[in-house]
């Protein structure tokens, strides 16, 4: 039963509208299909290339949403951001893109099958953020990912799913050979906690990643210089650990390609997860927890405001793509 098909169609129409508004600055590509539903349906997964081709090589950044089919707030934050960028055409960021200073590659909905089915997992019942094959040092029972059965949430799956492989292809195509010093990527989720978190690797271990100092610097810069004090920055493992995080895998893969490169490279691949906190609504509306999806999406009234509030943060992350780490204070 495709209970979410109307919602998915609505988002796809918004993507097409952005392509139209963006003119030469936006290109739509299809990077494969979702896994099949029990009825045999599969859904295209799109990538939007934004900016001049030169900027996509030299100053690229990434935006991803819809990894979990129920977290539609992330998809809406991403679409609102692009919509606003191309509808107004008068922001500083728009000029930077138009002048070839910045490029963005977006996957607005990585898990369209989950959106169409109104569920967190992909159509095969696999939680994509538990699917990468990375083993956590120690993860919470069940929630941290398990291999029992796809009838339970947080199922890791036995193989890398097509959606996860699309993310791989996207990583290979745009980030492995990117020329910018800092290659920032934001993957937008919702549901954990009462405040907005910005996480960096790792999800699998409390061990610091090789870019821990740089990530800390970025967090400090965003808080103290750019005044993003509503976001709480830190490694994901500070909140919780899981098996199978897709960013852990790609982050490690990037270090391997760096080490194997015949020329010495100093570029840094910097995946961030924006986890929009939604638990605070529960105290205002206790019935919410009894309604399906309630816990993953903020109350309707505050929704639009919350969506718009992330525009400036996303612009600033994208700008890291044209900065040098030494410019961070
Ligand atoms: Zn999520």
């Amino acid at each position: 039963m495709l209970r979410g098909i109307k919602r998915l169609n609505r988002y796809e129409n918004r993507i097409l509208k952005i392509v139209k508004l963006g003119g030469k600055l936006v290109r739509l590509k299809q990077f494969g299909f979702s896994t099949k539903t029990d009825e045999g349906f599969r859904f295209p997964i799109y990538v939007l290339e934004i900016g001049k081709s030169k900027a996509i090589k030299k100053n690229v950044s990434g935006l991803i949403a819809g990894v979990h089919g129920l977290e539609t707030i992330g998809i809406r934050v991403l679409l609102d951001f692009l919509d606003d960028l191309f509808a107004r055409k008068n922001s500083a960021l728009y000029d930077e893109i138009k002048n070839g200073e910045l490029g963005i590659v977006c996957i607005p909905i990585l898990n369209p099958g989950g959106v169409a089915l109104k569920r967190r997992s992909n159509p095969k019942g696999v939680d994509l953020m538990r699917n990468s094959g990375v083993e956590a040092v120690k993860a919470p029972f069940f929630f941290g990912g398990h291999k029992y059965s796809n009838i339970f949430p947080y199922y890791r799956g036995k193989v890398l799913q097509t959606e996860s492989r699309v993310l791989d292809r996207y990583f290979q195509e745009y980030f492995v050979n990117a020329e910018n010093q800092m290659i920032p990527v934001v993957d937008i989720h919702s549901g954990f906690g009462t405040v907005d978190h910005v996480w960096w690797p790792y999800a699998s271990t409390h061990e610091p990643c090789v870019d821990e100092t740089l990530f800390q610097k970025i967090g400090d810069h965003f808080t103290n210089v750019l005044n993003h004090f509503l976001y709480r920055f830190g490694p994901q493992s500070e909140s919780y650990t899981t098996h199978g995080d897709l960013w852990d895998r790609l982050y490690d893969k990037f270090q391997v390609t760096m080490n194997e490169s015949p020329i010495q490279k100093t570029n840094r691949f910097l995946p961030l997860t924006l986890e929009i906190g939604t638990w605070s609504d529960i105290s205002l509306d206790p019935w919410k927890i009894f309604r399906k999806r309630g816990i993953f999406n903020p109350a309707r009234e505050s929704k639009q405001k919350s969506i718009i509030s992330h525009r400036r943060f996303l612009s600033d992350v994208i700008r890291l793509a044209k900065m040098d780490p030494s410019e961070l204070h």
Side-chain angles (χ1 to χ4, degrees):
M1 268 267 286
L2 303 174
R3 290 175 299 122
I5 194 75
K6 276 193 183 156
R7 172 186 279 183
L8 181 63
N9 288 340
R10 202 159 60 231
Y11 300 145
E12 286 179 342
N13 284 332
R14 290 187 65 184
I15 294 172
L16 295 177
K17 192 185 143 205
I18 289 161
V19 174
K20 215 171 146 189
L21 277 172
K24 278 186 185 162
L25 288 178
V26 181
R27 294 167 297 282
L28 181 71
K29 301 201 165 171
Q30 195 191 321
F31 262 45
F33 285 96
S34 70
T35 44
K36 278 185 189 162
T37 66
D38 293 342
E39 297 85 2
F41 293 108
R42 49 183 205 157
F43 306 90
I45 303 172
Y46 297 111
V47 172
L48 286 173
E49 273 184 14
I50 293 168
K52 300 194 168 164
S53 329
K54 177 190 78 177
I56 303 270
K57 285 197 183 73
K58 290 188 167 164
N59 298 97
V60 74
S61 57
L63 285 183
I64 291 113
V67 173
H68 290 132
L70 289 179
E71 295 167 19
T72 53
I73 186 99
I75 300 170
R76 292 175 61 188
V77 165
L78 189 151
L79 294 176
D80 162 78
F81 175 74
L82 298 180
D83 216 352
D84 176 65
L85 184 67
F86 290 111
R88 289 201 288 130
K89 290 192 171 74
N90 63 356
S91 60
L93 185 68
Y94 180 80
D95 291 340
E96 290 164 290
I97 291 169
K98 205 179 142 206
N99 298 337
E101 293 169 47
L102 289 171
I104 319 168
V105 283
C106 306
I107 302 183
I109 313 171
L110 184 67
N111 178 14
V115 175
L117 291 164
K118 285 200 175 180
R119 55 153 106 151
R120 175 182 166 94
S121 68
N122 77 353
K124 290 282 173 260
V126 176
D127 186 329
L128 298 175
M129 266 308 151
R130 305 288 184 273
N131 180 234
S132 79
V134 173
E135 290 289 324
V137 173
K138 190 172 178 284
F141 177 68
F142 201 61
F143 171 75
H146 65 82
K147 289 182 171 173
Y148 299 115
S149 161
N150 65 354
I151 64 167
F152 302 119
Y154 316 114
Y155 179 59
R156 297 175 62 180
K158 291 193 173 72
V159 292
L160 200 63
Q161 301 293 292
T162 31
E163 292 87 350
S164 307
R165 280 189 271 128
V166 163
L167 196 68
D168 250 47
R169 189 185 149 198
Y170 163 83
F171 167 78
Q172 290 292 345
E173 179 123 2
Y174 297 111
F175 303 130
V176 169
N177 296 310
E179 292 168 22
N180 31 323
Q181 282 306 300
M182 293 193 277
I183 308 164
V185 175
V186 187
D187 177 19
I188 314 170
H189 289 251
S190 64
F192 177 82
T194 51
V195 298
D196 299 333
H197 289 265
V198 179
W199 290 327
W200 57 74
Y202 287 110
S204 63
T205 172
H206 292 282
E207 287 297 312
C209 68
V210 291
D211 293 301
E212 175 67 23
T213 314
L214 178 56
F215 277 120
Q216 292 281 1
K217 262 188 163 179
I218 291 171
D220 291 346
H221 181 78
F222 270 62
T223 309
N224 304 326
V225 180
L226 301 171
N227 298 327
H228 293 291
F229 25 66
L230 292 179
Y231 298 87
R232 198 166 294 169
F233 295 84
Q236 168 158 0
S237 60
E238 238 171 45
S239 294
Y240 58 81
T241 51
T242 67
H243 296 293
D245 185 279
L246 291 171
W247 298 111
D248 276 9
R249 175 167 178 274
L250 295 179
Y251 179 79
D252 282 345
K253 245 185 156 176
F254 190 85
Q255 314 316 319
V256 172
T257 61
M258 293 273 292
N259 295 338
E260 287 173 352
S261 167
I263 46 161
Q264 196 179 355
K265 292 172 82 177
T266 51
N267 327 57
R268 307 312 314 168
F269 174 62
L270 307 170
L272 298 168
T273 297
L274 168 57
E275 184 83 27
I276 298 169
T278 56
W279 293 0
S280 54
D281 306 315
I282 291 164
S283 55
L284 302 172
D285 179 5
W287 293 104
K288 229 180 116 154
I289 52 170
F290 295 106
R291 294 197 297 264
K292 209 175 168 230
R293 298 190 311 281
I295 206 161
F296 297 106
N297 287 291
R300 197 174 289 274
E301 316 82 67
S302 60
K303 221 177 215 176
Q304 194 53 29
K305 228 170 93 187
S306 156
I307 286 169
I308 290 170
S309 73
H310 299 289
R311 288 176 185 169
R312 192 171 69 87
F313 171 78
L314 294 178
S315 302
D316 285 337
V317 175
I318 288 163
R319 283 202 182 93
L320 289 171
K322 63 170 193 177
M323 289 171 68
D324 188 274
S326 65
E327 294 172 60
L328 297 166
H329 300 289

